Amino acid sequence: MDLKERIETLLAQIDELKASCASEVEEIRIRFLGKKGSITQLFEEFKTVLPEQKREFGQVLNQLKNRATEKINALKEEAGEEQQKTVVEDHTLPGDFFPIGSRHPISLTRAEILQIFSRLGYSVLEGPEIEDDWHVFGALNFPPEHPARDMQDTFFVSSGENRVLLRTHTSSVQVRAMESMKPPIRIVCPGRVFRNEAISARAHCIFHQVEGLYIDKGVSFADLKQSILFFAREMFGEDAKIRLRPSFFPFTEPSAEVDVSCNICKGKGCNVCKGTGWLEIMGAGMVDPNVLEACGIDNTTYSGFAFGMGIERIAMLKWQIKDLRLYFENDIRFLKQFETA
Ligand code: DAH
């Protein structure tokens, strides 16, 4: 066979090539293009071709080599796809295990608080984090010179009479509710709040609160006590007790600070409750008639109570978390402990 015939035979062979796996393709490559491959061989022989025939043969030889390379690449790709298909279809292979995430303790506690109050007929209402002076302070009966409005506590966004600021408590949402809803109002308002505090184990510049508000005809302090007792028992266990200490908030009259019996020492006194047997959980009180009036609710017909608690605080008591910063650091070792919670 002369050179020309051999090239044609090889071309025909190449077109017919088939392979079912990557190693077969490799064998083919060696057979044609390897060091001793038939095409490589032809290039060797090409050296002996007469000078006037070099041009013609050079071209066909190069074409042959390109065809072979293209075909082999195509076979390689097909074999690769074939291999992948087999992997996907092999149902006997063990499954992939993805690490399961966990819900953040703040989310868990928030959900539990909202759930407990929803059983008492409360609905959930959220409000903006960026607020104005009126909703955070003015409508809530804060006198103009009240220290909570101070630069040291509040992050201000703008100055002026009704300046814009980051809300320092979720009580602003009760103002929005009273302005836009008609009694009876029964809402819980969860959300983030901001205070200009140095970050430490016991304080943070961002934390979470749940505000509660109930307004209707004839709502009394007894209703407030009973609702909070129900919450405390649901949250901390059937034998949880509550204690109300007189306190002061501009937006409630009378006001109280609410303690729950220490669920660790069962009231005997331990280092968590600092020997008192009680843990503070929230502020509460009867909505001040001035607040009702400022928000457009007739304070001769309606009365109501409000309460506000820190979610971090409740979670701390529930799981004995000693450092507030843990909530924000997203250390996986901390978060993983709540996988089954
Ligand atoms: N807003 C208060 C705070 O940020 C918490 C609070 C106390 C809310 C008493 C209330 C309340 O609704 O009646 O500390």
Side-chain angles (χ1 to χ4, degrees):
M1 250 197 288
D2 68 3
L3 203 52
K4 209 167 173 183
E5 267 173 17
R6 283 166 59 203
I7 289 174
E8 263 155 29
T9 327
L10 280 174
L11 272 174
Q13 276 179 11
I14 285 165
D15 283 344
E16 295 296 305
L17 283 174
K18 279 189 178 60
S20 58
C21 62
S23 61
E24 262 181 54
V25 182
E26 183 57 10
E27 271 171 34
I28 292 173
R29 191 193 64 79
I30 294 168
R31 179 141 58 90
F32 290 94
L33 298 170
K35 260 192 184 156
K36 293 187 181 140
S38 39
I39 295 177
T40 320
Q41 208 73 45
L42 287 182
F43 272 90
E44 280 302 314
E45 287 174 36
F46 177 65
K47 290 177 188 155
T48 63
V49 165
L50 297 174
E52 58 267 33
Q53 290 181 326
K54 274 228 149 106
R55 208 181 124 97
E56 191 196 335
F57 279 115
Q59 259 177 7
V60 269
L61 254 184
N62 276 329
Q63 271 169 13
L64 173 69
K65 191 177 173 187
N66 288 343
R67 274 271 273 289
T69 316
E70 272 166 27
K71 180 76 187 189
I72 286 166
N73 284 343
L75 287 177
K76 220 184 257 174
E77 219 163 276
E78 260 172 45
E81 274 168 21
E82 204 51 45
Q83 215 160 27
Q84 257 177 9
K85 248 190 253 164
T86 359
V87 172
V88 172
E89 284 165 9
D90 185 353
H91 301 296
T92 65
L93 285 173
D96 288 332
F97 293 98
F98 293 104
I100 297 169
S102 54
R103 295 187 73 195
H104 194 282
I106 296 297
S107 304
L108 289 167
T109 312
R110 178 188 190 272
E112 192 172 348
I113 296 169
L114 298 184
Q115 236 238 333
I116 292 169
F117 282 103
S118 80
R119 294 207 284 278
L120 289 177
Y122 286 72
S123 45
V124 177
L125 186 72
E126 291 186 63
E129 293 176 347
I130 302 173
E131 264 293 5
D132 52 34
D133 195 283
W134 170 254
H135 288 94
V136 176
F137 300 125
L140 288 166
N141 205 29
F142 279 79
E145 70 291 350
H146 193 282
R149 296 180 174 216
D150 205 306
M151 292 302 280
Q152 272 143 36
D153 272 318
T154 311
F155 288 114
F156 290 100
V157 177
S158 74
S159 53
E161 206 186 312
N162 194 19
R163 53 201 172 172
V164 176
L165 44 92
L166 302 186
R167 65 179 178 195
T168 55
H169 55 182
T170 42
S171 303
S172 53
V173 190
Q174 57 157 288
V175 175
R176 288 195 174 269
M178 286 188 272
E179 282 175 341
S180 61
M181 294 158 78
K182 281 201 165 63
I185 300 172
R186 206 184 296 185
I187 49 160
V188 268
C189 319
R192 273 201 299 191
V193 299
F194 308 85
R195 287 184 199 174
N196 194 356
E197 303 240 18
I199 296 169
S200 71
R202 319 194 101 247
H204 209 289
C205 57
I206 303 173
F207 56 100
H208 301 76
Q209 288 188 332
V210 174
E211 179 81 13
L213 178 71
Y214 176 32
I215 295 183
D216 203 350
K217 286 178 186 153
V219 176
S220 72
F221 202 85
D223 298 321
L224 168 64
K225 268 180 80 173
Q226 194 55 39
S227 307
I228 293 175
L229 179 61
F230 175 81
F231 167 74
R233 286 183 173 164
E234 292 293 296
M235 193 76 198
F236 298 105
E238 241 336 273
D239 38 49
K241 293 183 187 60
I242 58 163
R243 164 175 99 165
L244 275 71
R245 284 177 288 112
S247 185
F248 174 79
F249 299 104
F251 37 92
T252 43
E253 184 57 38
S255 307
E257 239 140 354
V258 182
D259 297 339
V260 63
S261 51
C262 180
N263 57 343
I264 294 152
C265 63
K266 303 281 171 234
K268 284 193 206 80
C270 65
N271 60 353
V272 176
C273 60
K274 303 205 184 73
T276 65
W278 295 97
L279 301 158
E280 190 189 321
I281 54 164
M282 65 171 92
M286 299 306 290
V287 180
D288 194 301
N290 289 346
V291 174
L292 294 175
E293 192 185 319
C295 299
I297 288 182
D298 178 4
N299 59 17
T300 58
T301 317
Y302 293 104
S303 60
F305 64 72
F307 54 87
M309 67 186 105
I311 302 183
E312 279 80 355
R313 171 94 186 138
I314 304 289
M316 268 181 144
L317 300 178
K318 205 172 153 69
W319 286 297
Q320 285 144 59
I321 298 163
K322 300 246 158 60
D323 192 323
L324 262 178
R325 290 166 292 196
L326 284 165
Y327 291 122
F328 297 93
E329 284 165 356
N330 282 336
D331 185 327
I332 204 84
R333 293 167 299 179
F334 171 68
L335 297 175
K336 268 185 98 62
Q337 297 176 62
F338 302 93
E339 252 169 25
T340 51

